[in-house]
Amino acid sequence: MSNEGVFDPRQQQAQPQGLDLSAVRTPAPGAGASAQSAQQQSVAQPHVQQQDPNGVNVPALVFDVDEQSFEAVVQLSTQVPVVIDLWAEWCGPCKQLSPVIEKVTRDYDGRLVLAKIDVDTNPRIQQAFGVQSIPTVVALVKGQPVPLFQGATPEPQIKQVFDQLLTAAAQAGVNKRAITGDAPQQPAGPKYPEAIEALEAGDLDRAAQVYQDALNETPGDEDAKSGLARVELLRRTRGKDLAEVRARAAQDPSDVDAALECADLDISGGHVDDAFARLITTLSKVTGDDKERVRKRILELFEAVGPADPRVTQARGKLMRALF
């Protein structure tokens, strides 16, 4: 699979060397009041959502940032990945990229946020990132810059980059969710009761459709992603015998199908660490299409278990090392 234009942690040469963001964390001496509105200045002032220990309250998922509010963005990046769009009013490609990257950000439903920075009015930020051309899109994870891409970029490629950014951020322990507006009330029941009812009735097709409809409306809905992944897991494991599959996998360690089936059944039986260890070991021994099949199954099982599960976070780190 080609990685052209996709975030790759190995591409350190793309990262500004000796980057020092401290110069833009406080206003320049003698600087006047910011022209930003009071709402815009308060956007990047996060605080932990009291009702949800995994949430960070922000006024918006997409917001403008200037040199005075940049420090708050750095602090926010210790809890949720911050994507930074460096742009200018006169830049044609910037105007092409803006609506696309804003839409994609909202689709991720708070798993990351987008900070937009006008380089003409915030030259010190541009200098700190070493930006030579715009649009340039970078990210901050725990205050550290991560290069993403430059130029107008199509939506599918942006999503691919964001997926890899989230994997790297989770490995670094940055996996909280940005929550907009007032603190949400505690839900009275499951988010998708129709899907739960269908599962209880054994109607996997109906349950899958409920989750898929939710994803069609909001692609970044983690509850729907996990729900659909669990339904697909049930489909794959229905009627299969764990002892028989394990025996087949032990007899032929090169049997990728047996390894995948065994991992599915291990997850269903609660042996989560065993499942991830088996597939990551298999991943290191196969190539080509088999390697891609195993990689995809690992990601599917991450969703089934739940992205916030500490076993998933640990396995993500092992997966990154196995891939890179």
Side-chain angles (χ1 to χ4, degrees), residues 88-152:
E89 183 64 35
W90 49 264
C91 170
C94 297
K95 295 179 180 179
Q96 296 176 26
L97 176 65
S98 286
V100 179
I101 195 171
E102 290 174 16
K103 173 187 177 297
V104 173
T105 297
R106 292 187 177 98
D107 285 345
Y108 277 80
D109 196 29
R111 295 176 66 198
L112 49 79
V113 297
L114 176 65
K116 299 177 65 64
I117 297 176
D118 185 338
V119 297
D120 283 347
T121 55
N122 300 281
R124 287 192 296 164
I125 297 180
Q126 177 184 7
Q127 293 168 7
F129 280 108
V131 173
Q132 301 298 318
S133 63
I134 54 172
T136 288
V137 179
V138 299
L140 286 178
V141 176
K142 283 191 171 180
Q144 297 301 309
V146 179
L148 298 183
F149 56 86
Q150 290 183 322

Side-chain angles (χ1 to χ4, degrees), residues 270-293:
H271 306 291
V272 175
D273 290 330
D274 290 343
F276 290 153
R278 177 184 297 276
L279 290 188
I280 291 172
T281 298
T282 302
L283 186 76
S284 65
K285 296 179 179 179
V286 296
T287 59
D289 291 341
D290 283 341
K291 194 178 192 74
E292 181 62 11
R293 287 173 61 205

Side-chain angles (χ1 to χ4, degrees), residues 306-322:
D309 191 292
R311 294 167 297 184
V312 171
T313 302
Q314 184 179 31
R316 281 190 190 278
K318 294 178 180 178
L319 175 61
M320 291 289 288
R321 290 191 289 272

Side-chain angles (χ1 to χ4, degrees), residues 170-236:
Q171 182 181 356
V174 179
N175 53 13
K176 291 188 177 181
R177 181 185 297 273
I179 301 173
T180 59
D182 295 332
Q185 299 297 318
Q186 291 294 327
K191 187 172 182 180
Y192 296 106
E194 302 94 337
I196 301 301
E197 291 174 5
L199 287 171
E200 290 175 347
D203 189 349
L204 299 186
D205 291 340
R206 173 58 183 157
Q209 190 61 55
V210 171
Y211 289 127
Q212 187 60 62
D213 289 345
L215 286 172
N216 291 340
E217 183 175 346
T218 309
D221 187 329
E222 280 302 316
D223 291 317
K225 282 184 181 179
S226 293
L228 183 58
R230 287 192 292 270
V231 172
E232 295 301 332
L233 177 63
L234 288 171
R235 282 174 167 168
R236 294 195 301 267

Side-chain angles (χ1 to χ4, degrees), residues 19-192:
L19 181 62
D20 181 7
L21 301 178
S22 61
V24 294
R25 292 183 181 179
T26 56
S34 170
Q36 305 283 31
S37 67
Q39 177 184 5
Q40 184 171 326
Q41 289 183 23
S42 66
V43 159
Q45 305 295 333
H47 63 272
V48 176
Q49 179 62 264
Q50 296 300 316
Q51 284 76 8
D52 182 357
N54 293 318
V56 179
N57 201 25
V58 296
L61 298 180
V62 178
F63 48 84
D64 294 312
V65 172
D66 62 9
E67 293 174 358
Q68 289 184 313
S69 58
F70 188 76
E71 168 65 22
V73 173
V74 175
Q75 294 302 316
L76 178 60
S77 75
T78 64
Q79 301 174 84
V80 61
V82 178
V83 176
I84 296 178
D85 176 17
L86 295 140
W87 67 285
E89 183 64 35
W90 49 264
C91 170
C94 297
K95 295 179 180 179
Q96 296 176 26
L97 176 65
S98 286
V100 179
I101 195 171
E102 290 174 16
K103 173 187 177 297
V104 173
T105 297
R106 292 187 177 98
D107 285 345
Y108 277 80
D109 196 29
R111 295 176 66 198
L112 49 79
V113 297
L114 176 65
K116 299 177 65 64
I117 297 176
D118 185 338
V119 297
D120 283 347
T121 55
N122 300 281
R124 287 192 296 164
I125 297 180
Q126 177 184 7
Q127 293 168 7
F129 280 108
V131 173
Q132 301 298 318
S133 63
I134 54 172
T136 288
V137 179
V138 299
L140 286 178
V141 176
K142 283 191 171 180
Q144 297 301 309
V146 179
L148 298 183
F149 56 86
Q150 290 183 322
T153 303
E155 182 173 334
Q157 188 171 328
I158 294 174
K159 289 181 177 179
Q160 187 178 9
V161 172
F162 281 9
D163 284 344
Q164 296 191 36
L165 170 64
L166 288 171
T167 297
Q171 182 181 356
V174 179
N175 53 13
K176 291 188 177 181
R177 181 185 297 273
I179 301 173
T180 59
D182 295 332
Q185 299 297 318
Q186 291 294 327
K191 187 172 182 180
Y192 296 106

